[in-house]
């Protein structure tokens, strides 16, 4: 592609060749070929959903260093696919330990899983040190013929 062709193609389709907002090499559609995300200040949010059902495929300590949330939602409930991933839960501890400030963080698991229970028990002391609280999903929402566990969150 010439520079003019690239400019025209990105004008007609502004999302083309973008992966997570980063311009990729037009010769490859693979996200692996994307440019590294530039370093910058951390982003502070009230609530963050841990990507990909808390799978270790997309989330590492860098996510938790850069996305600093008061609440993180863990929705994984598929042990066969490693969701939620113990590695990701450990990455939260590692990332949070590098914040330099001890802000309260609440982890909200949407399902009661063996991985989450074991992680909670084995790292409880570290969670307390880092000011991380894990909500227990003890409420149940009943809607017509369906019921499911839920957590109430107040901001």
């Amino acid at each position: 592609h010439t520079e003019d062709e690239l400019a025209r193609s990105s004008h007609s389709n502004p999302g083309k060749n973008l992966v997570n907002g980063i311009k990729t090499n037009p010769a490859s559609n693979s996200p692996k070929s994307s440019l590294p995300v530039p370093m910058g200040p951390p982003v502070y949010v009230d609530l963050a959903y841990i990507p990909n059902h808390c799978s270790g495929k997309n989330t590492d300590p860098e996510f938790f260093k850069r996305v600093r949330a008061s609440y993180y939602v863990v929705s994984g409930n598929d042990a066969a696919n490693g969701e939620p991933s113990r590695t990701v839960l450990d990455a939260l501890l590692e990332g949070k330990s590098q914040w330099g400030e001890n802000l309260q963080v609440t982890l909200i698991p949407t399902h009661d899983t063996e991985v989450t229970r074991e992680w909670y028990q084995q790292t409880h002391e570290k969670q307390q040190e880092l000011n991380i609280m894990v909500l227990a999903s003890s409420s149940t929402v009943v809607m017509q013929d369906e019921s499911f566990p839920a957590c109430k969150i107040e901001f």
Side-chain angles (χ1 to χ4, degrees):
H1 292 292
T2 67
E3 283 186 37
D4 289 339
E5 288 172 323
L6 284 174
R8 276 194 302 271
S9 69
S10 64
H11 238 16
S12 63
N13 185 357
K16 187 175 180 182
N17 299 327
L18 292 179
V19 174
N20 295 326
I22 305 296
K23 191 159 184 80
T24 60
N25 179 350
S28 171
N29 292 331
S30 168
K32 299 265 186 219
S33 68
S34 67
L35 299 173
V37 176
M39 290 305 295
V43 176
Y44 291 84
V45 297
D46 288 329
L47 180 89
Y49 174 85
I50 298 177
N52 202 23
H53 304 288
C54 198
S55 166
K57 297 174 188 170
N58 300 81
T59 308
D60 60 8
E62 190 64 29
F63 173 82
F64 296 105
K65 289 178 200 172
R66 300 194 58 195
V67 179
R68 299 180 181 186
S70 297
Y71 299 87
Y72 290 101
V73 176
V74 177
S75 71
N77 190 27
D78 186 355
N81 284 321
E83 300 168 4
S85 167
R86 170 68 189 250
T87 304
V88 173
L89 297 171
D90 288 339
L92 166 62
L93 298 175
E94 183 181 334
K96 173 84 166 63
S97 70
Q98 296 181 30
W99 285 13
E101 50 196 330
N102 202 11
L103 300 174
Q104 170 74 44
V105 167
T106 302
L107 190 67
I108 306 166
T110 59
H111 296 88
D112 182 21
T113 66
E114 185 72 24
V115 170
T116 308
R117 271 184 269 126
E118 284 180 7
W119 175 82
Y120 177 80
Q121 292 170 351
Q122 293 170 359
T123 65
H124 188 70
E125 189 174 302
K126 184 74 170 173
Q127 293 167 42
Q128 289 180 319
E129 176 186 315
L130 294 172
N131 204 14
I132 297 172
M133 180 176 72
V134 179
L135 284 185
S137 213
S138 59
S139 300
T140 302
V141 174
V142 179
M143 297 178 65
Q144 293 179 349
D145 297 332
E146 181 180 10
S147 66
F148 48 90
C151 291
K152 180 180 178 183
I153 305 169
E154 292 183 29
F155 294 96

